[in-house]
Amino acid sequence: MKNHLRSVCASVCLFFVLGSACLLPHAARATTLTVGVSNMGTLLSAAPNGQPDGILGAILSEIARQENWTLKTDLCEWRDCMRKLRAGELDLLPAVSLTPDRTTVLDYHQTPALQTWTQVYTRPDKQLHTIQDLDGLRLSTLASSTQYSYLETLLPSLGLKTHLTPSETLIQGFQQVQAGQIDAIAADFFFGNTMAHQYGLAATPIIFLPAGLYYAAPKGRNADVLRAIDRHLSTWKADSDSVYYRILTRWDSSRARPPDTRAAPEYGLMALAAVGLVALLALACAGYTRRRARRQTQHLQAAEHRLSTVLDHIDDLICIEDQDRRCRYANRPFREFFDLPATPSSTTFNPDTSRALMRVDGISDAELQALAQGGSIVTQEQRPSPRTGCTHTFQSVKLPLQNPDGTTGMFCTILTDITARRQAEELARHNAFHDPLTGLPNRILLLDRLEQTLPGARRGAGCSAVLILDLDDFKKLNDSRSHAIGDQVLREVARRLKEHTLERDMVSRVSGDEFMVLLTQLGPDLETSTRRALKIAERLRLVLASAPLEPGDQACVFTASLGLTLLHPGGTTAGDAIREADLAMQRAKMLGGNQTVIYDHTLQADFEQRLWMEKDLTQALNTSQLAMHIQPQYARDGRVTGAELLTRWTHPDHGPVSPALFVPLAEETSLINHLTYWSLGVACQALLDLQSLDETYPISINISPRVLMDPGFGESVRSLLKRTGAPGNRLIFEITEGVWIQDVDATVQRMRELNRLGIRFSVDDFGTGYSNLSNLMRLPIFELKIDKSLIRNLPDDPDSIAIARLILAMAEQLDLWVVAEGVEDEPQAEFLARHGCDAMQGYLLARPMPIDAWLTSIRQRRTGRD
């Protein structure tokens, strides 16, 4: 009878133990500033006076008070706030978590303002205990949030078919859960608790995604503000009596803690004791008659059987051990995992009457002592499976099972397998800091490593360097052979870079075909470090260029442009170092690629000049800043045989800007199109003005290869000639030799299309390029212009004499008109005239002048003759 009593008590106890274990949550994981404020409840809100309120608002207001800042509040929904921040319409936005994508457009301070996590909320009638309970349910979270991105990866990796629904606002999501349109919502803990109370929802034990919250600023702005925030937060967090903790206390920060998973078993034990007492009384009453005892025995055996069946069909691993740590009972999942025999005694739930199976070492000596004193233990632990050899991670709950007299005789271990969840979390964490294509660290991880390296460089512990490597013409491979082939190339490049750098260095893929390498411990001084860094950069460049990459069935050779900057005592910040290396890499690109450039301060000056030139040239179009000058060309007998139009830019602040600076810049952007069509319009008007003065010589203008090969260029020129009435046969388009290198046939077709409008072509800067005679003969060329670099040393330099005579002889043979540009003295002119040059252009004969000035001089000459 005693055995029956104890058995029933143990059965009931375990039912309640399992119930309490299921309820346990899993382990969780003087300046004016325009500040964006969203309604986030306790976390962030706006006070009646319009100032930022809530925890983060109060912290910012206190910093602003001490720093003498003026805060101007912009109330907006979260997505609008983020859009305004990226667009630079806000100076600061609180409650922003740090993600890889955001760091490319936003700047953060270093010390988190607050630590938070995400929690799932649902209606009180819906029981959700673990993340697996979300399978098949409708789960909402804020669109474009970190929670949405995290769940989008995590849920499928766990095999859960949860319907993830984005909400425009979190308030909308809470309203949908309240109305039954959505089953649950995942939200930040601070905001979620406020909204859950307002909409009658309950917080579940499902907690994930611990994160730091920051104040964020637009990229490159308000660095001093972020530094001030960091300074205050670091000081306040180190002082438990600071205003920071007073603010947290005022907003009841005690609610900002995850549930204490260790407390639940204690409540379970109280319930267990009560139930045990009730069971004992019931059995005592039943002992008055044998007949009722037999009936109770039958009920007990049936209950044991039912309980054993239930325990064998749950996923958790359950084991009951005695004080000698021998396994008295194990359910089927436990036996299968630890490869225990399925003996008859193990299939009936009665730990007192069943014989011991074996020792399983489930409870350690230290844990046994704590459990014997009535405590409980909730931990995570790893257990290897003897059957499979694989190690699994478990959420472990260990509880004492008390006898009716209050003594502890048995101990229960309940293991919940969370291996898949941990693996999914590790994968998500890895993907957040690594490039999924190459497996290399991404920009975020490299920035973190760079921030750790900088203090050592500043202390003089040795120099380091940042190297940025960008593949030359990689886009052409993607366009011509597919992105899949491009991905193979990037993986091979990553492998070679990793193979030819040291373990202490870090190779990272930061974007597209751009890689970054952090080189550390280069040497004790700047000179030694620079020499070693350049040697490594050259080795990496040759590693890529020397051996062909073989994606698919066709090998290809890639070169790379490399930019290098040194980190040394007195150096700059991580952001400055990356910017310097990037500027050096861009200069390597401009110099033709396949080379390494090390940063110096002239690159910064050139970059800043390039920035204001590109911006101001756009504004200068169709204004008086841009003007067209004309430089006449003279025949050997002194007659004007033609003229060239030259663009001049007079900047209101910088004065005259050399065409050698702004024309190449226009070539790299769409500005060259606007500049060319403007030049054509001026040329047509000049032809009409000259025609009215009976001047019928042609005018030459420079045409960019990019514009010439534009599909609509021919039709645009036709329309312009028709609209203005200008004679197309007196227009000469000057092109460079490189225009036909890519596709000779296409170039010939375009030139003949323009020939039909009367337009003729001149090869500018002839003699300095790389054209061959066969290509030259195929093209409908009218004129050759000898480059001024070949005229400069005439008539004294033998090489210049030989080249000039060769060009003139070839032109005569091909019946081409020849113009020599850059003629500056009489000996040059005499030599060219003596050897048959058709026309000359240069300062000796006439300097470039405004078109109106040239027209005026023509009128004056005609008046003088009259």
Side-chain angles (χ1 to χ4, degrees):
M1 188 62 163
K2 290 183 178 179
N3 286 337
H4 294 321
L5 293 176
R6 294 172 64 187
S7 178
V8 169
C9 182
S11 302
V12 175
C13 285
L14 188 57
F15 269 125
F16 275 88
V17 167
L18 291 174
S20 62
C22 292
L23 291 174
L24 285 174
H26 291 290
R29 319 259 162 170
T31 298
T32 299
L33 300 175
T34 301
V35 181
V37 174
S38 298
N39 182 11
M40 297 184 176
T42 303
L43 191 62
L44 179 66
S45 60
N49 63 359
Q51 287 296 293
D53 208 0
I55 296 174
L56 295 180
I59 292 172
L60 181 60
S61 296
E62 178 60 23
I63 295 175
R65 186 187 67 78
Q66 296 191 24
E67 292 290 333
N68 197 26
W69 296 339
T70 299
L71 301 183
K72 179 182 177 183
T73 302
D74 187 341
L75 297 177
C76 48
E77 293 294 343
W78 177 250
R79 293 185 69 182
D80 288 337
C81 282
M82 286 298 294
R83 178 188 60 77
K84 289 182 177 181
L85 185 66
R86 290 189 176 98
E89 299 173 19
L90 298 177
D91 296 310
L92 211 62
L93 181 60
V96 182
S97 57
L98 190 150
T99 67
D101 291 340
R102 289 176 181 171
T103 54
T104 63
V105 293
L106 302 178
D107 282 337
Y108 295 79
H109 52 91
Q110 300 297 315
T111 303
L114 200 64
Q115 295 291 343
T116 185
W117 55 88
T118 299
Q119 193 156 6
V120 175
Y121 300 86
T122 188
R123 295 184 299 280
D125 60 339
K126 207 166 190 67
Q127 297 297 314
L128 301 179
H129 302 297
T130 69
I131 199 167
Q132 282 78 11
D133 293 337
L134 298 175
D135 191 24
L137 299 186
R138 299 163 297 176
L139 177 65
S140 176
T141 191
L142 185 63
S144 304
S145 64
T146 54
Q147 289 96 336
Y148 187 87
S149 301
Y150 179 81
L151 289 169
E152 196 174 31
T153 301
L154 176 65
L155 295 172
S157 69
L158 295 176
L160 303 181
K161 297 181 180 180
T162 306
H163 305 288
L164 190 59
T165 304
S167 294
E168 290 299 316
T169 66
L170 280 175
I171 292 178
Q172 176 191 0
F174 276 88
Q175 291 172 342
Q176 289 176 327
V177 177
Q178 182 190 44
Q181 299 169 347
I182 296 294
D183 296 307
I185 183 168
D188 173 84
F189 164 78
F190 292 94
F191 184 75
N193 273 12
T194 302
M195 291 298 102
H197 177 75
Q198 181 176 340
Y199 290 101
L201 304 184
T204 75
I206 304 173
I207 300 172
F208 59 91
L209 200 61
L213 295 181
Y214 299 81
Y215 301 92
K219 195 70 176 176
R221 284 176 44 184
N222 297 322
D224 54 337
V225 171
L226 296 177
R227 284 195 294 270
I229 292 173
D230 246 332
R231 187 173 65 255
H232 285 285
L233 288 175
S234 299
T235 303
W236 290 347
K237 285 191 171 185
D239 181 6
S240 61
D241 294 327
S242 68
V243 65
Y244 176 86
Y245 292 103
R246 292 200 297 274
I247 290 172
L248 293 183
T249 301
R250 172 157 47 95
W251 286 95
D252 191 14
S253 65
S254 63
R255 293 178 299 168
R257 301 190 185 103
D260 187 352
T261 59
R262 295 171 298 176
E266 297 178 7
Y267 296 116
L269 292 177
M270 295 171 62
L272 293 177
V275 171
L277 181 58
V278 172
L280 183 60
L281 292 174
L283 286 176
C285 294
Y288 284 105
T289 65
R290 177 182 293 181
R291 184 177 178 181
R292 295 187 64 180
R294 283 199 302 268
R295 187 181 303 127
Q296 186 65 38
T297 301
Q298 294 170 355
H299 290 170
L300 173 61
Q301 291 173 346
E304 289 176 355
H305 178 73
R306 288 195 298 270
L307 178 57
S308 180
T309 301
V310 170
L311 296 182
D312 279 347
H313 286 82
I314 67 174
D315 292 332
D316 288 353
L317 283 63
I318 301 173
C319 174
I320 295 179
E321 300 175 61
D322 59 21
Q323 292 183 340
D324 294 327
R325 295 194 305 173
R326 294 172 299 180
C327 179
R328 290 290 185 174
Y329 171 81
N331 69 343
R332 180 183 53 79
F334 192 98
R335 297 194 305 272
E336 289 178 352
F337 183 85
F338 289 102
D339 201 22
L340 301 179
T343 61
S345 59
S346 68
T347 59
T348 301
F349 179 73
N350 194 332
D352 280 326
T353 59
S354 61
R355 63 182 177 84
L357 294 173
M358 63 181 64
R359 290 189 54 152
V360 293
D361 294 326
I363 300 176
S364 66
D365 291 336
E367 290 175 334
L368 190 65
Q369 184 177 0
L371 292 172
Q373 295 175 358
S376 59
I377 301 171
V378 180
T379 59
Q380 281 190 16
E381 56 185 72
Q382 291 187 324
R383 297 279 192 99
S385 171
R387 184 169 61 87
T388 65
C390 298
T391 299
H392 289 234
T393 302
F394 293 96
Q395 178 81 11
S396 169
V397 179
K398 297 174 183 177
L399 301 167
L401 300 180
Q402 294 183 339
N403 295 320
D405 60 1
T407 61
T408 301
M410 298 289 178
F411 306 94
C412 180
T413 299
I414 304 172
L415 302 176
T416 302
D417 195 333
I418 59 171
T419 305
R421 188 183 79 193
R422 288 292 301 273
Q423 289 173 346
E425 291 171 351
E426 288 297 327
L427 178 62
R429 188 179 298 111
H430 180 275
N431 289 342
F433 297 102
H434 289 80
D435 170 43
L437 177 65
T438 63
L440 293 176
N442 62 12
R443 185 185 186 91
I444 300 299
L445 194 55
L446 186 131
L447 276 172
D448 181 71
R449 174 75 181 279
L450 182 55
E451 291 286 1
Q452 297 175 30
T453 304
L454 280 171
R458 293 178 184 136
R459 291 194 303 268
C463 296
S464 301
V466 174
L467 176 69
I468 292 183
L469 178 149
D470 190 87
L471 298 180
D472 297 327
D473 297 324
F474 180 75
K475 184 177 183 299
K476 292 181 180 178
L477 175 73
N478 270 343
D479 293 342
S480 61
R481 297 183 61 190
S482 84
H483 287 270
I485 297 297
D487 288 347
Q488 292 183 40
V489 169
L490 292 175
R491 282 191 288 266
E492 176 61 16
V493 169
R495 187 193 66 79
R496 294 189 186 184
L497 294 179
K498 188 72 175 173
E499 184 177 312
H500 289 84
T501 51
L502 298 177
E503 190 70 28
R504 65 173 182 253
D505 301 330
M506 178 179 280
V507 180
S508 166
R509 179 179 176 229
V510 293
S511 66
D513 60 331
E514 186 173 288
F515 295 82
M516 195 181 303
V517 184
L518 177 61
L519 304 173
T520 59
Q521 302 178 29
L522 291 171
D525 57 79
L526 189 58
E527 181 179 352
T528 302
S529 300
T530 302
R531 186 168 58 252
R532 289 179 179 173
L534 285 172
K535 183 177 180 181
I536 294 171
E538 184 64 11
R539 181 172 72 236
L540 295 180
R541 185 185 68 81
L542 293 175
V543 159
L544 295 181
S546 58
L549 303 171
E550 299 183 356
D553 56 356
Q554 185 177 352
C556 56
V557 175
F558 269 98
T559 60
S561 300
L562 292 85
L564 182 67
T565 190
L566 270 292
L567 309 176
H568 52 82
T572 54
T573 65
D576 290 336
I578 292 175
R579 178 181 52 79
E580 291 173 359
D582 189 65
L583 285 175
M585 183 272 292
Q586 292 181 37
R587 175 56 61 88
K589 287 276 188 188
M590 293 173 60
L591 295 175
N594 194 25
Q595 57 187 292
T596 301
V597 172
I598 190 167
Y599 173 82
D600 61 43
H601 293 294
T602 60
L603 291 179
Q604 179 65 28
D606 291 347
F607 178 73
E608 291 175 355
Q609 180 188 61
R610 184 181 180 87
L611 284 179
W612 71 254
M613 280 177 50
E614 182 174 350
K615 177 177 69 71
D616 293 357
L617 182 57
T618 303
Q619 299 173 353
L621 291 171
N622 301 318
T623 70
S624 59
Q625 293 183 36
L626 282 178
M628 194 67 81
H629 286 207
I630 190 169
Q631 187 175 30
Q633 300 165 350
Y634 293 87
R636 283 170 288 183
D637 58 4
R639 291 179 301 106
V640 177
T641 60
E644 180 181 3
L645 293 186
L646 303 168
T647 307
R648 294 293 183 262
W649 179 18
T650 304
H651 192 278
D653 298 325
H654 300 280
V657 183
S658 170
L661 294 176
F662 72 81
V663 171
L665 177 63
E667 286 274 5
E668 297 174 18
T669 65
S670 60
L671 293 176
I672 193 62
N673 295 321
H674 301 290
L675 202 58
T676 299
Y677 286 114
W678 171 75
S679 301
L680 276 170
V682 174
C684 289
Q685 185 59 49
L687 284 173
L688 294 174
D689 291 340
L690 289 171
Q691 184 173 276
S692 67
L693 297 174
D694 294 330
E695 299 284 331
T696 58
Y697 42 80
I699 285 181
S700 302
I701 64 170
N702 290 280
I703 300 295
S704 160
R706 176 175 173 177
V707 175
L708 177 67
M709 300 311 295
D710 182 67
F713 181 62
E715 185 57 36
S716 297
V717 174
R718 182 192 305 275
S719 299
L720 179 63
L721 294 176
K722 183 178 180 180
R723 185 173 67 253
T724 61
N729 59 355
R730 290 207 289 276
L731 264 180
I732 296 178
F733 285 175
E734 292 190 10
I735 60 177
T736 57
E737 296 177 65
V739 72
W740 58 81
I741 294 302
Q742 296 297 327
D743 191 340
V744 177
D745 294 333
T747 305
V748 171
Q749 182 178 351
R750 178 53 48 82
M751 292 174 70
R752 286 178 177 166
E753 177 187 356
L754 293 167
N755 281 158
R756 289 193 286 271
L757 301 176
I759 295 170
R760 291 171 291 176
F761 286 88
S762 172
V763 180
D764 196 15
D765 302 331
F766 188 78
T768 61
Y770 35 74
S771 63
N772 56 52
L773 188 58
S774 62
N775 284 342
L776 193 64
M777 294 175 65
R778 293 178 59 188
L779 298 168
I781 296 297
F782 161 73
E783 175 185 279
L784 300 179
K785 290 191 75 173
I786 304 177
D787 186 71
K788 59 186 176 183
S789 64
L790 302 176
I791 304 298
R792 185 180 300 116
N793 296 322
L794 291 176
D796 302 320
D797 179 56
D799 292 337
S800 298
I801 291 173
I803 295 173
R805 293 181 66 176
L806 179 64
I807 293 174
L808 290 168
M810 180 188 67
E812 182 179 8
Q813 183 67 30
L814 297 176
D815 195 23
L816 298 176
W817 184 266
V818 180
V819 177
E821 58 181 349
V823 179
E824 297 184 355
D825 56 42
E826 289 291 349
Q828 293 172 348
E830 290 175 1
F831 175 88
L832 292 166
R834 188 167 63 252
H835 289 87
C837 185
D838 297 301
M840 288 172 274
Q841 175 183 340
Y843 284 2
L844 174 67
L845 306 165
R847 289 178 174 270
M849 66 188 77
I851 295 176
D852 289 343
W854 175 246
L855 295 174
T856 299
S857 69
I858 294 174
R859 295 189 186 98
Q860 289 174 350
R861 286 199 304 272
R862 290 183 180 279
T863 302
R865 285 201 299 269
D866 294 342

